[in-house]
């Protein structure tokens, strides 16, 4: 668990305050007061699980430096920090295969067939393995966390070396002085409706997206797909399983 790794990093550091300051640079808001949005994973239905993890982790890793993390409000902020900034470290062979497929120069019909096959493959595998199919871990990266979101990003996070080393790769030509945007959504979520994307970003990142794509699709109906509801149910089930 990333919280354990963070606590261990502080304990082993020669300058503990420097490490604490580095963690403090990450956004850790539990609510967006201006937009009246609260983080999804800090809702009432997760209170029992949150308290369980806070108590257990506090007993294992709490000390003078990390004690504020394991107070009731401190732990909520810590979870918000991870939920907002945590970067999945995708180094699976399937992810590499899909990226290689994306780079192929194919006829339109062949591209459509390949994309359809990959979409179906993801759906079938995720039924067995869950939503962390391409995530072998999670980490905190100052570079990634400094990038704002766009549903039509001009850059993406990659792990080209098959390890934890993160790279920021341009998707289009980026002019000097132009802001670099990444997408906080996975590939499947980016293709969902504007309402579905906005719902996910509000609940997990505490903001309403006003990117170019969202503004262009502002006239779409505010309808949440069955796919989103199934994913939300799976999230609840997974958290309940973790405490049993």
């Amino acid at each position: 668990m990333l919280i354990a790794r963070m606590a261990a990093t502080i304990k082993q550091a020669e300058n503990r305050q420097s490490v604490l300051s580095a963690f403090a640079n990450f956004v850790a808001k539990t609510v967006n007061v201006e937009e009246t949005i609260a983080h999804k994973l800090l809702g009432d239905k997760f209170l029992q699980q949150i308290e369980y993890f806070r108590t257990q982790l506090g007993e294992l890793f709490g000390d003078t430096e990390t004690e504020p993390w394991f107070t009731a409000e401190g732990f909520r902020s810590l979870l918000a920090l991870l939920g907002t900034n945590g970067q999945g470290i995708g180094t699976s062979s399937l992810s590499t295969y899909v990226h290689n497929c994306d780079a192929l120069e194919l006829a339109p019909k062949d591209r459509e067939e390949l994309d359809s096959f990959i979409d179906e493959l993801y759906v079938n595998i995720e039924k067995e393995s869950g939503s962390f199919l391409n995530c072998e871990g999670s980490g905190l990266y100052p570079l990634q966390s400094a990038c704002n979101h766009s549903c039509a990003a001009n850059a993406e996070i990659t792990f080209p070396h098959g390890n934890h080393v993160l790279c920021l790769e341009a998707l289009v030509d980026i002019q000097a002085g132009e802001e670099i945007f990444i997408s906080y959504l996975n590939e499947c979520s980016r293709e969902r409706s504007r309402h579905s994307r906005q719902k996910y970003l509000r609940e997990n990142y505490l903001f309403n997206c006003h990117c170019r794509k969202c503004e262009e699709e502002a006239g779409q109906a505010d309808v949440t797909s069955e796919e989103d509801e199934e994913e939300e149910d799976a999230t609840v089930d997974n958290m309940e399983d973790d405490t049993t």
Side-chain angles (χ1 to χ4, degrees):
M1 182 177 283
L2 189 53
I3 293 176
R5 182 67 180 269
M6 292 168 66
T9 300
I10 293 171
K11 288 179 178 292
Q12 296 168 5
E14 292 184 8
N15 187 338
R16 295 187 174 190
Q17 286 303 317
S18 176
V19 178
L20 281 168
S21 296
F23 286 138
N25 287 330
F26 291 95
V27 174
K29 292 194 301 183
T30 59
V31 296
N32 182 332
V33 177
E34 294 81 5
E35 301 281 1
T36 63
I37 305 171
H39 200 288
K40 174 181 178 180
L41 295 182
L42 300 178
D44 291 342
K45 60 186 173 184
F46 297 129
L47 289 178
Q48 181 178 350
Q49 292 93 331
I50 290 172
E51 183 60 22
Y52 171 81
F53 285 124
R54 182 182 75 84
T55 302
Q56 296 297 312
L57 291 170
E59 291 178 357
L60 290 171
F61 300 107
D63 61 15
T64 303
E65 283 82 5
T66 60
E67 183 179 3
W69 284 3
F70 300 108
T71 63
E73 188 56 34
F75 195 67
R76 287 169 59 84
S77 295
L78 184 60
L79 292 179
L81 182 154
L82 298 180
T84 304
N85 300 280
Q87 169 64 50
I89 302 174
T91 60
S92 76
S93 55
L94 178 60
S95 177
T96 301
Y97 165 76
V98 171
H99 275 284
N100 289 340
C101 288
D102 289 341
L104 294 174
E105 295 185 4
L106 300 173
K109 182 179 179 182
D110 292 335
R111 168 58 62 189
E112 183 178 349
E113 291 179 353
L114 179 58
D115 288 346
S116 177
F117 167 76
I118 291 174
D119 288 344
E120 185 178 358
L121 183 63
Y122 268 106
V123 169
N124 291 334
I125 294 179
E126 285 189 12
K127 288 179 181 177
E128 304 298 327
S129 64
S131 60
F132 293 100
L133 176 64
N134 284 329
C135 180
E136 294 184 354
S138 182
L140 294 173
Y141 295 86
L143 174 65
Q144 167 260 357
S145 293
C147 294
N148 285 322
H149 163 83
S150 171
C151 296
N154 57 11
E156 68 175 354
I157 299 299
T158 64
F159 293 89
H161 308 297
N163 56 22
H164 66 280
V165 177
L166 177 148
C167 292
L168 188 60
E169 182 177 330
L171 296 173
V172 297
D173 290 338
I174 301 175
Q175 303 302 315
E178 182 181 355
E179 183 172 359
I180 296 175
F181 291 99
I182 61 174
S183 178
Y184 298 170
L185 306 170
N186 61 36
E187 293 181 22
C188 293
S189 296
R190 287 174 220 159
E191 301 306 316
R192 293 180 180 173
S193 69
R194 176 182 183 273
H195 181 68
S196 294
R197 299 195 309 270
Q198 293 273 358
K199 178 176 181 289
Y200 180 86
L201 292 168
R202 281 196 302 272
E203 293 178 341
N204 293 276
Y205 294 96
L206 306 182
F207 69 88
N208 290 305
C209 183
H210 299 286
C211 73
R212 173 178 55 81
K213 183 175 181 178
C214 284
E215 292 300 304
E216 291 174 351
E217 298 176 352
Q220 286 187 357
D222 290 342
V223 178
T224 302
S225 66
E226 293 180 4
E227 216 171 17
D228 292 328
E229 293 172 359
E230 291 173 359
E231 186 172 304
E232 183 171 337
D233 291 341
T235 299
V236 175
D237 292 341
N238 288 337
M239 287 201 71
E240 289 176 348
D241 290 343
D242 286 341
T243 58
T244 57

